[in-house]
Amino acid sequence: MMVPYGNLLLLAFTLFLMGAVCAVARRNLLMILIGVEIMLNAAGMAFVGASLKWQLLDGQAFVLFIFAVAASEVAIGLALIVYSRRRTGSVDADHYNLMKG
Amino acid sequence: MALYSVLFYVLATVLLASTLLAITRRQVVHAVVYLIISFIATGLLFYLLGAPFLAALEVIIYAGAIMVLFLFIVMTFSVESGETAKGEIYQWLPAIGLGVISFFVGGVLIFEVPGSKMSLNTGMATPTVFGQFLFKSYWFPVEIASFLLLIGLVGALYLGRQESKKEGKRPEDKS
């Protein structure tokens, strides 16, 4: 017997909130991407815990797809960051004001 | 068994501390290194929760591939910590306030759900069982995931190519 299921969910939820706060509060584009990675990781943790609670393997299968999505997302995201830095010379989100928004 | 509970709480402490350190670093390199610790702890937690195959994947993909990719990109950039201390507090305060409110609301919700106080049983899905289940029930999503990775590869190549022809036509906007 291990810890209650609520403790695991609370841990995953706290990590998700940390990632969300990082993605909202930081202005460096790389840190925003890191926040998204933390959020995806926390979601996977909740899936694995639910898979253990109900003794079904579907949760673990979904974590595999979350991994695939995270890998392609980070590849595209980093390529976009390099591309935008080549155009504007900065990775600060405040400097992307080409449309004067 | 009490040992598993102790392991869970130790791993949870390591996870929360390293993630908190990672999201507050000013240098991205430091954040990435703290995040590697966080992902390795997540892999150990997956092993504790009975998913050894996903634990190996977590260490290989997240701590290995994704974080090394981040490190490469950070190291190709020059050292420019563009974030100034001024004005940052105006972004941290609302984010942390909303985060704390969401934390309390979510915590109440999580612990009000029936069955959340039920203890987890230990279990283990061996990689053989997991692979057979995956390719029996989820073979089509696996194909879609492979297409997604291929599209990601092509997109990254397209975005990262050198612009040689359109060099003159590029708008020089350095505002």
Side-chain angles (χ1 to χ4, degrees), chain A residues 13 17 21, chain B residues 93-107:
Chain A
F13 184 60
L17 279 181
V21 166
Chain B
L93 275 183
I96 288 178
L98 293 176
V100 167
I101 292 171
S102 312
F103 175 77
F104 281 113
V105 173

Side-chain angles (χ1 to χ4, degrees), chain B residues 34-77:
Chain B
Y34 277 119
L35 217 55
I36 289 176
I37 299 174
S38 163
F39 285 146
I40 288 176
T42 310
L44 291 176
L45 190 63
F46 281 2
Y47 195 85
L48 186 65
L49 294 175
F53 182 64
L54 290 177
L57 275 189
E58 172 88 19
V59 173
I60 292 170
I61 295 180
Y62 267 101
I66 292 180
M67 285 301 120
V68 169
L69 204 58
F70 265 105
L71 272 184
F72 269 129
I73 296 298
V74 171
M75 286 174 181
T76 56
F77 291 171

